[in-house]
């Protein structure tokens, strides 16, 4: 891994240090160097702001305010010790809000992996403010709710972790599902338009189901985020560099 893996202005050493802390092993496994890497996309996009959080405008459609700090690969611990805890691709802190970003690029269009909730997660009372996420958790665990493309189990875990940490930090919480809709794989083979349509419908269904809980869920497309950044003269070059490097989003 060299600085060549990062776009101009991205603090390579700080990003590499954050990636090495993560249990995802993106560097050691070589996944980070893949032309379809989601980790490389989010590390370059948000890593650019690590040393300049004030340059990051509020994400479109996200109730958050002006960022004070930006992190990548940040752990959002559950309210207990031991076990595994959620890691978010990026976390943005504002005076009022803790914003967690879960990024997806090609993952929704690959075969799904089995996922489940721990006993500790299932047995805890998360409170009335998380009743909708809890109902979703139970439906997923019982098999009453299934999604083909959306990793809803991961999103519920992220919401619980964000809720725990936002209370500790006396802030509101927002979970952003930042997803791509690539027209083709890195090989040039088209991504199924039907799969993209189904994924979009699943995202909308999940959003409706958890709307109103203490963790606000916002779905945001990478293409819309880069369009938003392109309108800011200070971010125009960064947005164009991301498009040039990562192609179809």
């Amino acid at each position: 891994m060299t600085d060549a893996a990062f776009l101009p202005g991205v603090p390579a050493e700080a990003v590499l240090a954050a990636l090495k802390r993560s249990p995802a092993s993106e560097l050691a496994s070589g996944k980070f160097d893949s032309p379809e890497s989601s980790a490389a996309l989010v590390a370059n996009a948000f890593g650019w702001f690590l040393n300049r959080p004030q340059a990051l405008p509020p994400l479109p459609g996200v109730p958050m305010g002006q960022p004070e700090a930006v992190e990548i690969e940040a752990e959002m611990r559950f309210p207990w010790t031991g076990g595994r805890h959620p890691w978010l691709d990026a976390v943005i802190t504002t005076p009022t809000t803790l914003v967690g970003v879960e990024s997806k690029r090609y993952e929704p269009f690959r075969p799904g992996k089995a996922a489940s909730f721990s006993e500790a997660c299932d047995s805890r009372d998360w409170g009335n403010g998380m009743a909708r996420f809890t109902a979703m958790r139970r439906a997923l665990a019982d098999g009453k709710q299934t999604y083909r493309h959306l990793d809803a189990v991961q999103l519920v875990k992220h919401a619980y972790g964000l809720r725990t940490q936002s209370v500790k930090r006396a802030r509101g919480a927002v979970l952003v599902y930042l997803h791509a809709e690539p027209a083709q794989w890195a090989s040039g083979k088209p991504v199924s338009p039907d799969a993209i349509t189904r994924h979009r419908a699943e995202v909308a269904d999940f959003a409706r189901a958890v709307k109103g809980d203490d963790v606000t869920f916002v779905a945001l497309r990478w293409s819309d985020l880069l369009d938003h950044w392109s309108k800011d003269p200070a971010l125009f070059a960064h947005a164009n560099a991301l498009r040039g490097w990562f192609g179809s989003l």
Side-chain angles (χ1 to χ4, degrees):
M1 178 61 58
T2 68
D3 289 1
F6 300 105
L7 293 172
V10 176
E13 290 187 5
V15 172
L16 287 171
L19 290 169
K20 289 175 182 176
R21 289 194 300 268
S22 167
S25 303
E26 295 286 345
L27 296 178
S29 66
K31 293 179 182 178
F32 193 86
D33 296 316
S34 167
E36 295 179 357
S37 173
S38 178
L41 171 60
V42 75
N44 275 280
F46 287 93
W48 196 86
F49 298 98
L50 292 182
N51 299 333
R52 49 170 87 86
Q54 70 285 350
L56 175 63
L59 305 183
V62 179
M64 58 183 287
Q66 186 61 39
E68 294 180 325
V70 176
E71 306 168 74
I72 60 170
E73 293 296 337
E75 186 180 31
M76 295 286 106
R77 294 188 65 85
F78 292 133
W80 57 75
T81 58
R84 300 182 66 178
H85 300 261
W87 285 74
L88 283 154
D89 292 315
V91 170
I92 305 162
T93 304
T94 81
T96 60
T97 312
L98 187 65
V99 181
V101 178
E102 177 58 32
S103 170
K104 299 295 183 188
R105 192 178 173 196
Y106 287 98
E107 295 92 336
F109 313 112
R110 297 184 180 126
K113 298 179 181 179
S116 61
F117 298 97
S118 68
E119 183 179 345
C121 195
D122 277 333
S123 62
R124 186 171 185 86
D125 181 2
W126 293 95
N128 292 334
M130 295 296 286
R132 295 170 180 84
F133 277 102
T134 294
M136 174 62 69
R137 186 198 80 222
R138 290 171 176 162
L140 292 166
D142 293 342
K144 296 178 181 178
Q145 176 66 65
T146 59
Y147 293 111
R148 183 173 176 181
H149 301 284
L150 183 71
D151 189 347
V153 171
Q154 183 187 54
L155 292 177
V156 171
K157 292 177 181 178
H158 285 342
Y160 286 153
L162 268 172
R163 172 60 175 162
T164 303
Q165 295 305 314
S166 68
V167 170
K168 285 188 176 181
R169 305 179 197 189
R171 286 171 168 82
V174 179
L175 175 58
V176 177
Y177 182 65
L178 180 59
H179 62 97
E181 294 185 343
Q184 60 188 29
W185 299 90
S187 66
K189 180 181 178 180
V191 174
S192 167
D194 289 342
I196 292 174
T197 299
R198 286 194 300 267
H199 174 247
R200 192 181 299 168
E202 291 176 359
V203 173
D205 182 79
F206 182 90
R208 285 191 296 268
V210 301
K211 184 177 181 180
D213 267 10
D214 287 344
V215 175
T216 300
F217 177 79
V218 177
L220 174 62
R221 296 189 304 178
W222 269 106
S223 58
D224 293 332
L225 177 62
L226 296 187
D227 286 346
H228 182 68
W229 285 355
S230 294
K231 296 174 184 177
D232 185 333
L235 300 180
F236 179 81
H238 182 50
N240 276 359
L242 287 163
R243 287 196 185 97
W245 191 304
F246 294 99
S248 173
L249 294 172

